[in-house]
Amino acid sequence: MRAVLAGSLGVALALGLTPPASAATGPEVVACPTALPADTTCYGGQDVNGAYYTIAKPKAWNGSLVVHSHGGPDLGAPAPTRTADDLTRWSVVVREGYLWAGSSYRRGGYGTRMAVADTENLRELVVAKFGEPRTTLLHGQSWGGNVAAKTAEVHPGSYDAVLLTSGVLAGGSRGYDYRVDLRVVYQYYCGNHPRPTEPRYPLWQGLRPDSTMTGTGLRARLEECTGITSATRTPVQQRNLDDILAVTRISEGALASHLNFATFTFRDIVHNRLGGRNPFSNKGVRYSGSHDDAALNAGVERFSADPSAARDLSYDSDITGTISVPVLTVHAIGDPTAFVEHEAAFRASLGWRPNLVQTFTTETEHSALSDSEYASALEALVTWERTGRKPTPASVAASCPANDVKYGTGCFFDPAYTPASYASRVNARPGGTRWPALTPLQSFLWERQGVRGIAP
């Protein structure tokens, strides 16, 4: 079993972070979400950095801990409702007998290593309260998959195994390239984000920093250009929509959410985290699939990344492939948000290490999959960690029907599925087909040079 690492202040200092002066609160007993068994005891509080947390302990605790890294990133200020909502979504973990802990992170906005530090701080808090667990698992969902994978790399002695579900596993430097493409392709066809009458700004900013646009306002512009919710689109709207979907390979139902990310989260990354520097590039990309590719490629806005911004985003978020403990992933083949090809990038980043098992389901969801599947994945991962018997996609699938008797949410594993390469779905930038995107050596050298990525 792992030795307990240094306290949260020591972790922060090791990462080059300066925690704000604030008094930690809790853990105090709080009301549990109604989705949990009635005999669960829940605790809440706020850590020294301002991150809220929730802990749930089942009456028949099996002695093991699951630390959860949530997705997003959320752009608003942290709130205790974030962790309560996460606990509701992942109540299956508690029903399976595990102690569950989740952090809101100390602030909104992008920052993978910030979330890593807050995840590790919470683990240490749980150990101080309940003692060293028999086994400590790390679970990351969506962007939290990136956070969890990075946490396992930065804190290799803290976690015994890792479960990554619907993960954004291509990292920050490449994992958002399809949203970069959406941002420029949308503007080429729609010309209303910004409008000709509004102040101009480079599209890699997502949105100018002083804009008061809301999500509702952005959705109205999307509707104006594509008639996305209308049953009676004009021929121009239909062609705009067809071209945008064909070129970006984003599904119609997910288009609004991706455009939202490429607007508001890009603004956060650029203006709030990177001091106005551009980490994105579409140089060398040839767009295809439209009714007139030549005109599109001639007219779409082009830009190159600021090397220092690209470095900081990569250091903050890219996976080096150095995870040494068992890792099991679950990903829906039809995931409309984090394309299943993220798993191919992750597989290539780990270099066919023997400690990775990837499973896939025929679902078309991102935010949550079947509880029966999560229970099966947890069971397989813990057995692997404790006995050394490595599961297979087929064995995980075979265990699901027994769990479905309990949960009744269905089993949709496809043991034969293998995702195509990341570049088959997302336009690769020059040099962007080699994985990992950040090598262990480069990460080490940048660290020695004092690179800290994105400030907390």
Side-chain angles (χ1 to χ4, degrees):
M1 189 61 65
R2 305 157 321 282
V4 179
L5 299 183
S8 59
L9 178 60
V11 173
L13 294 175
L15 290 173
L17 312 179
T18 303
S22 63
T25 63
E28 298 176 349
V29 175
V30 297
C32 288
T34 57
L36 269 64
D39 56 2
T40 306
T41 304
C42 293
Y43 304 83
Q46 197 170 13
D47 75 11
V48 69
N49 293 316
Y52 293 97
Y53 60 84
T54 298
I55 303 166
K57 183 182 180 183
K59 183 176 182 180
W61 179 31
N62 63 17
S64 293
L65 165 67
V66 173
V67 182
H68 176 74
S69 297
H70 75 70
D74 300 335
L75 298 183
T81 52
R82 170 76 227 205
T83 54
D85 291 345
D86 288 336
L87 177 53
T88 295
R89 188 186 306 182
W90 310 113
S91 61
V92 60
V93 176
V94 179
R95 295 198 299 272
E96 286 295 295
Y98 295 89
L99 184 68
W100 184 97
S103 170
S104 70
Y105 313 142
R106 70 189 70 181
R107 62 158 172 79
Y110 199 85
T112 306
R113 285 179 179 258
M114 168 206 71
V116 165
D118 291 342
T119 298
E120 175 63 7
N121 288 346
L122 178 57
R123 184 198 67 82
E124 293 179 349
L125 187 152
V126 172
V127 170
K129 173 70 175 178
F130 299 101
E132 187 74 24
R134 177 183 179 187
T135 303
T136 300
L137 306 178
L138 186 58
H139 173 222
Q141 162 75 18
S142 188
W143 176 58
N146 189 175
V147 173
K150 199 68 187 173
T151 301
E153 292 184 350
V154 174
H155 300 284
S158 295
Y159 302 92
D160 297 304
V162 182
L163 175 64
L164 305 175
T165 58
S166 308
V168 179
L169 299 178
S173 72
R174 298 179 189 172
Y176 306 125
D177 281 347
Y178 51 96
R179 287 166 171 160
V180 174
D181 294 339
L182 171 61
R183 189 66 182 86
V184 299
V185 169
Y186 176 88
Q187 183 64 6
Y188 173 79
Y189 288 112
C190 298
N192 66 2
H193 186 26
R195 300 185 190 279
T197 56
E198 294 175 323
R200 309 295 293 179
Y201 55 87
L203 297 180
W204 50 262
Q205 291 186 0
L207 189 63
R208 71 181 196 273
D210 59 344
S211 174
T212 58
M213 178 187 286
T214 63
T216 300
L218 178 59
R219 184 60 182 253
R221 297 190 188 208
L222 176 62
E223 182 69 29
E224 171 190 296
C225 176
T226 66
I228 193 164
T229 64
S230 175
T232 57
R233 296 172 191 144
T234 68
V236 172
Q237 287 177 325
Q238 186 65 61
R239 191 174 76 173
N240 287 341
L241 182 59
D242 289 344
D243 280 339
I244 292 168
L245 297 179
V247 173
T248 63
R249 287 172 274 188
I250 292 171
S251 68
E252 183 174 330
L255 183 59
S257 65
H258 283 291
L259 186 60
N260 194 76
F261 192 106
T263 299
F264 300 108
T265 306
F266 278 14
R267 177 171 66 174
D268 174 73
I269 291 172
V270 169
H271 293 292
N272 298 336
R273 312 304 158 202
L274 295 174
R277 295 172 294 148
N278 172 28
F280 303 121
S281 172
N282 67 342
K283 182 179 180 181
V285 173
R286 175 166 177 77
Y287 297 105
S288 62
S290 73
H291 76 278
D292 189 341
D293 289 347
L296 171 61
N297 283 283
V300 76
E301 184 174 316
R302 301 281 182 176
F303 40 80
S304 296
D306 177 313
S308 68
R311 174 204 65 199
D312 287 348
L313 181 59
S314 177
Y315 180 77
D316 181 76
S317 63
D318 281 341
I319 295 163
T320 63
T322 55
I323 302 175
S324 58
V325 298
V327 181
L328 193 149
T329 71
V330 185
H331 213 122
I333 297 168
D335 189 329
T337 301
F339 299 153
V340 71
E341 289 81 5
H342 275 269
E343 295 286 343
F346 189 57
R347 172 75 276 176
S349 295
L350 266 65
W352 298 100
R353 289 170 181 261
N355 62 312
L356 174 63
V357 173
Q358 294 173 294
T359 66
F360 303 94
T361 78
T362 57
E363 292 156 292
T364 57
E365 302 295 332
H366 172 72
S367 296
L369 305 178
S370 164
D371 281 353
S372 303
E373 293 166 350
Y374 289 129
S376 301
L378 279 169
E379 181 181 47
L381 185 60
V382 170
T383 300
W384 182 11
E385 188 278 328
R386 291 180 181 170
T387 69
R389 294 197 299 271
K390 182 178 178 180
T392 65
S395 69
V396 177
S399 70
C400 189
N403 287 306
D404 200 42
V405 171
K406 180 177 181 180
Y407 295 107
T409 54
C411 295
F412 307 99
F413 286 108
D414 182 353
Y417 181 80
T418 301
S421 70
Y422 190 68
S424 72
R425 184 70 175 267
V426 180
N427 293 309
R429 279 52 178 164
T433 58
R434 296 189 297 273
W435 298 92
L438 174 61
T439 66
L441 176 60
Q442 183 63 78
S443 180
F444 172 78
L445 292 175
W446 279 343
E447 187 171 359
R448 290 288 299 270
Q449 293 164 11
V451 173
R452 286 295 177 263
I454 291 174

